[in-house]
Amino acid sequence: MKKIHYILLILLVVVSACQKDVLNKVPLNIITDNTVWSDPSLIDAYLTQVYAEMTVFVQETPEPNTWSSNYTGLHDGVYDGVAFYGPFCINELSDECTIGWQQRAGKYFKYNGIKISGGCMEWWEYSYIAIRQLNEFISRVPSSPVDKSFAIERTAEARFLRAYNYFSMVKRYGGVPIVTKAQGVNDPKETLYPKRNTEKEVYDFVIAEIDTIASSLPEISTGDILGRPTKYAALALKCRAALYAGSIAKYGTIQLNGVVGISPSEASAYYQKAYDAANTIIGSGHYALYNADANPVTNFKNIFLVKNNPEAIFAVRHDNTDAGWGGSGNGWGYDFLQCPKPQGWDVGNQNAPYLEMAEEFEHIDGTSGAIDATTLQNQLWTINDLWANKDPRFYATIWTQETPWKGTMVDFHNGLQLPDGTIQNDGSYQGVLAIGTQKVDGSMHTAFGVMKYLDEAKDNSGAQVGASQTDYLVFRYAEVLLNLAEASFELGKQDVALNAVNQIRSRAGITLLGSVDLDKIRHERKVELAFEGHRYWDVRRWRIASSVLPQKRSGLQYILDYATRKYKIVVLNNIDGSNGPVFFPNNIYLPITLTRTGNNPNLVENPGYN
């Protein structure tokens, strides 16, 4: 994406660490400020640049530089972009997977907790920079001498982006200052150093913005507006935000006079807003569960590989031009970092799923996918027997031993059992290697990888990192159904909730439920939306993170039996190390940090950070 040069009289990093003016001086022979706001192409270029800087759509956590053992809180710009590690951290911080071969930000925060110095999943400065640019856009475009329908639509688009930024912030910090006008150096101190709005006010702002602008956005996204938000993308944001607010009201606690927390009396109203938004999306007839392939495994894989399919409500679009190492392309690094070997850096498998996550996937008949550890380790297994009759989403979401890949099979085996019962750990025996092709050294090896989003046709054996061309689904129809199921259940509409969940299960190819409860809805959400960046936020908003996340979890070791070519299985306990993950109750909200409260004395710190 090309950057345009434009005059911004003030680029103020709002109520943030810097609190200083940035004057972007541009030679007048390049472009003038008036020209930008008078030319539809330059108006679009301005907005395109905001999109380029809003990696929050894909990269839920900017990636700090944590090469050293002592986290510094500094960001490594080379690795911040979606071409590298940012998209993976949010999964690693959840209970879905451990930290794979590249142990960066996730390692520090997962095992040490989030401190007042911050640095984990930050989006404060990033969002307020975008909000500053969007506020400028929103104030200028309506009065620009351009076609009015164009001005209305683009202004609505900018307000959608601003609302998304505020949603990204409120789910991190609780209440934050709502700034809707571009600030100037001569503004009064209360404008330049605003207080935090309440958490309820921020959620209400996001929802009200969507109510105001949804009808001004296109009905559907086609042609030259693919990748831009539509009316239903906006409603999907409202649906998600209202569901989060309902959860916080029902399960959270009000503190700091409402700066964090929402009154329980508000829960039903928010659930109703989520319910209504979901039904409007469903009733539009524009979207449906992807169901084009007869094989349910292929079908589920293709939700994330087939562009512009009917499940995609809003997607960040990518192509196969490299965005890594300073590249100017529009690809991203997902395939390169997540794939099995062969891989250009001889690693791959950035997110390494836990055994417990693999067990979350039921069998086709609806029985539990959990495996008794004693049974598992007391006999030899074929892979077909070990993972027989699993939910097809398992095979489409996770790769493991003997998963087909690029004309061969993934080989995680780590050890060779000889005819005398001894285990050989290196070299070979009678031409059979003791170690397979995949990386199995180190404490973070689980013998599982993430298949979701992987494009088998992508060549990851070279040095081109950021050239994955799969689009990233910010909102998809299945999430809307799951939002509907949860909101419906919380509103006492169990029949609606059951129907929504069973639509998901029917597409997956597993037995339908006869009844539904909250645990079943949450389970279905965990499986269907696995590794899409939802789980960490879900356990936080349900207020179960401090009990769910700090648990010791497992991986597997496959030992090949020379005589039978079956596998001896060893359960690797405490795969994260002897101490395991931590999540303190106060980590439900991120810290505002000493830096920010020091620069703006009107910002109160979140509870529990000293």
Side-chain angles (χ1 to χ4, degrees), residues 138-153:
I138 292 163
S139 70
R140 299 295 292 269
V141 171
S143 59
S144 297
V146 296
D147 180 78
K148 290 304 176 187
S149 61
F150 171 84
I152 290 170
E153 185 175 307

Side-chain angles (χ1 to χ4, degrees), residues 44-55:
D44 270 349
Y46 184 110
L47 200 56
T48 297
Q49 180 58 28
V50 177
Y51 275 104
E53 295 170 357
M54 274 190 61
T55 52

Side-chain angles (χ1 to χ4, degrees), residues 236-307:
L237 173 57
K238 176 183 177 179
C239 184
R240 187 187 291 178
L243 185 70
Y244 276 43
S247 299
I248 292 161
K250 182 167 184 179
Y251 302 107
T253 302
I254 296 177
Q255 300 178 81
L256 302 179
N257 295 317
V259 170
V260 294
I262 300 173
S263 171
S265 65
E266 302 281 351
S268 292
Y270 285 118
Y271 285 130
Q272 188 66 50
K273 291 178 190 295
Y275 176 91
D276 292 341
N279 275 321
T280 302
I281 296 167
I282 293 165
S284 73
H286 292 309
Y287 307 98
L289 293 174
Y290 180 83
N291 220 0
D293 302 290
N295 183 302
V297 176
T298 302
N299 189 74
F300 196 75
K301 286 182 181 180
N302 279 342
I303 297 168
F304 308 95
L305 301 178
V306 175
K307 292 178 180 285

Side-chain angles (χ1 to χ4, degrees), residues 89-156:
C89 294
I90 194 66
N91 300 329
E92 294 168 348
L93 289 169
S94 76
D95 57 350
E96 295 171 309
C97 58
T98 188
I99 292 113
W101 58 275
Q102 185 54 262
Q103 300 172 29
R104 293 173 63 82
K107 179 180 181 181
Y108 182 88
F109 296 110
K110 188 161 191 168
Y111 307 125
N112 294 275
I114 304 168
K115 312 297 185 183
I116 195 169
S117 55
C120 180
M121 302 175 299
E122 296 285 11
W123 212 257
W124 189 282
E125 283 75 22
Y126 293 83
S127 276
Y128 276 123
I129 289 172
I131 288 166
R132 172 64 178 82
Q133 294 170 325
L134 291 165
N135 284 341
E136 179 82 3
F137 188 97
I138 292 163
S139 70
R140 299 295 292 269
V141 171
S143 59
S144 297
V146 296
D147 180 78
K148 290 304 176 187
S149 61
F150 171 84
I152 290 170
E153 185 175 307
R154 289 295 183 267
T155 302

